[in-house]
Amino acid sequence: MRLQLERIELREIELPLKWPFETSFGRTTKRRIMIVRVYDKSGAFGYGECTAPEDPFFNHETIDTAWIVVINYVAPLLMEARVERASDVNESLARIRGNRMAKGGVETAIWDLEARLSNQPLWKHIGGIREEITSGVSIGLQPSNDILLEKVQREIEAGYQRIKIKIKPGRDTALVQAIRAKFPDIRLTVDANSAYSLEDTELFKQLDEYNLMMIEQPLAAGDLVDHGKLQSAIKTPICLDESILTRTEARHAHELGSCRIINIKLGRVGGHTEAKAIQEFCAARQIPVWCGGMLESGIGRAHNIAMSTLSGFTLPGDVSASARYWEEDVINPPVTVRSAGTIAVPLGPGIGFEVNEARLQSLTNRREEVRIG
Ligand code: OSB
Ligand code: MG
């Protein structure tokens, strides 16, 4: 199967979140999402989602920078490279520094296209091994402890296998304490999104008392050295999110002892090829990995499900039901979670969910096409 790529269609949609999502770096009430469609010359196409947020607060990228990078740089490089395989896209875009969410939106669409042309589910096409993935939830900062406890209760009752809460300075130990008082045995984690420094080591030593599965990204993204110092000072495993951009940072983090667990996000690492390489590296060294989330629509969610079927993904991820985010998703059926806290992997070709084109069209605020062949 050789690809003959023809054009990329970018679409910006706006999807209001059912509830605002608040982290240490800000609050999101509606998502502006770039949906990518890549066509080949036969007329077949694949879908991808760019996970760049609205503002450059999680990392440097935004939907607007990603749009420019795809049109001005990704498209010309693809045109020049004449890639024939999805597995060659990552390397063909290597000249573009950073901007991995922009590249990932296109790369993942080409994987979906290739899977469809091979009449195979995407998860099998990338080498996945399981037909069910385990699911956890990420709960944002809440207006009060009572509301937080209610949310935790609801998600546990829905079956989710792991609860993650967001923390930030001033809103950390007390939240964990409140949850542990009511739910002593649940699998619980916290995510700081880089809000702390090494001067907060005492606080993280206190968190050691609450049997957390992990502490996600306590320190700055670029700071593997300080994460190494913090990890050796505390018992709870550190999980890195923002710090891991490619297999190189995964190796550096391992060599420096900066973490014991890694969160892989398709966008953050630039697509399926890099995600697969990172999970392979980690599996060979007994570093568990799990799939992170960026408040994706159903298209990005479907790619996350496919990635989570790779053998190294041994911990529950942040991939949860569409209904936790949206009144109506852009895929049919929406992603649902079974009472055991698992998501069934779809068996159809490509991402395995039908994209609701009419709904996409009605949500679209901007559309642009660019040739790549
Ligand atoms: O750090 O994992 C994160 C959402 C937006 C940006 C960063 C993160 C998150 C989440 C939510 O934790 C995951 C999800 O439910 O999609
Ligand atoms: Mg995170």
Side-chain angles (χ1 to χ4, degrees):
M1 163 57 50
R2 284 170 199 281
L3 296 171
Q4 285 192 290
L5 300 178
E6 187 198 67
R7 69 196 150 101
I8 299 173
E9 174 201 66
L10 298 184
R11 207 182 257 285
E12 174 178 339
I13 61 166
E14 182 172 304
L15 265 185
L17 281 163
K18 270 189 179 174
W19 297 283
F21 189 79
E22 189 175 337
T23 68
S24 64
F25 61 80
R27 165 190 269 252
T28 308
T29 53
K30 58 181 191 209
R31 292 294 332 278
R32 288 172 56 210
I33 302 175
M34 182 169 115
I35 301 294
V36 182
R37 196 145 48 144
V38 177
Y39 288 82
D40 89 343
K41 295 203 164 123
S42 72
F45 54 78
Y47 288 99
E49 174 168 338
C50 171
T51 65
E54 298 71 28
D55 306 302
F57 302 150
F58 171 79
N59 68 345
H60 63 280
E61 295 190 75
T62 74
I63 174 173
D64 300 301
T65 67
W67 196 287
I68 291 172
V69 167
V70 170
I71 299 292
N72 291 357
Y73 301 100
V74 171
L77 282 181
L78 282 178
M79 174 84 97
E80 192 183 304
R82 302 193 166 279
V83 291
E84 294 180 338
R85 288 188 179 79
S87 57
D88 293 335
V89 174
N90 189 48
E91 186 56 35
S92 76
L93 301 178
R95 239 181 107 198
I96 303 172
R97 309 285 191 200
N99 294 286
R100 293 195 169 80
M101 291 171 168
K103 296 195 266 185
V106 175
E107 200 252 18
T108 53
I110 296 174
W111 275 105
D112 179 37
L113 166 64
E114 191 176 75
R116 287 171 195 246
L117 288 169
S118 317
N119 202 26
Q120 256 212 113
L122 174 64
W123 63 274
K124 279 196 181 161
H125 191 57
I126 61 174
I129 56 149
R130 55 177 75 92
E131 298 194 7
E132 190 176 73
I133 65 163
T134 58
S135 185
V137 290
S138 173
I139 302 178
L141 290 159
Q142 300 298 318
S144 75
N145 278 6
D146 283 349
I147 297 177
L148 176 63
L149 289 171
E150 257 171 52
K151 290 229 167 190
V152 172
Q153 173 96 39
R154 195 173 326 141
E155 305 298 12
I156 293 291
E157 280 168 4
Y160 287 105
Q161 297 192 14
R162 184 226 64 200
I163 303 290
K164 154 171 148 187
I165 62 161
K166 294 291 188 178
I167 57 169
K168 72 174 190 180
R171 298 175 71 187
D172 35 47
T173 325
L175 305 189
V176 174
Q177 200 167 17
I179 294 177
R180 271 298 181 229
K182 206 167 162 201
F183 307 95
D185 300 323
I186 58 170
R187 295 215 267 176
L188 183 63
T189 81
V190 296
D191 186 357
N193 289 109
S194 299
Y196 296 85
S197 77
L198 212 45
E199 284 164 27
D200 300 305
T201 301
E202 274 313 307
L203 173 98
F204 291 107
K205 284 187 179 167
Q206 284 169 29
L207 285 180
D208 267 342
E209 302 306 310
Y210 297 95
N211 189 29
L212 299 175
M213 278 179 87
M214 68 193 91
I215 297 170
E216 186 175 339
Q217 197 70 41
L219 313 179
D223 208 339
L224 294 178
V225 171
D226 280 358
H227 275 107
K229 290 182 184 166
L230 182 60
Q231 181 66 92
S232 46
I234 65 176
K235 287 181 270 172
T236 311
I238 289 177
C239 169
L240 290 177
D241 173 354
E242 285 90 322
S243 290
I244 307 298
L245 307 174
T246 65
R247 60 199 99 175
T248 304
E249 289 79 22
R251 178 172 63 77
H252 291 171
H254 178 58
E255 289 176 4
L256 289 167
S258 316
C259 67
R260 295 195 201 123
I261 300 175
I262 287 179
N263 158 337
I264 301 183
K265 287 180 177 164
L266 265 178
R268 202 191 63 227
V269 307
H272 285 295
T273 298
E274 199 63 34
K276 196 170 147 107
I278 295 172
Q279 69 90 40
E280 254 166 42
F281 174 88
C282 290
R285 288 156 189 82
Q286 280 85 46
I287 304 168
V289 307
W290 53 278
C291 175
M294 292 294 292
L295 312 175
E296 288 91 347
S297 83
I299 293 171
R301 206 162 289 279
H303 277 283
N304 286 342
I305 292 171
M307 177 177 79
S308 303
T309 68
L310 298 172
S311 62
F313 285 75
T314 54
L315 294 177
D318 277 348
V319 189
S320 56
S322 301
R324 292 188 62 251
Y325 306 81
W326 323 115
E327 291 296 344
E328 188 190 348
D329 206 335
V330 301
I331 55 166
N332 281 320
V335 173
T336 55
V337 169
R338 296 167 167 167
S339 58
T342 57
I343 294 174
V345 173
L347 301 174
I351 58 173
F353 292 84
E354 182 204 324
V355 173
N356 184 342
E357 272 296 324
R359 176 147 174 80
L360 268 192
Q361 182 60 35
S362 73
L363 297 169
T364 296
N365 285 329
R366 161 160 72 141
R367 198 181 153 277
E368 189 170 348
E369 283 198 357
V370 61
R371 295 198 64 88
I372 53 173

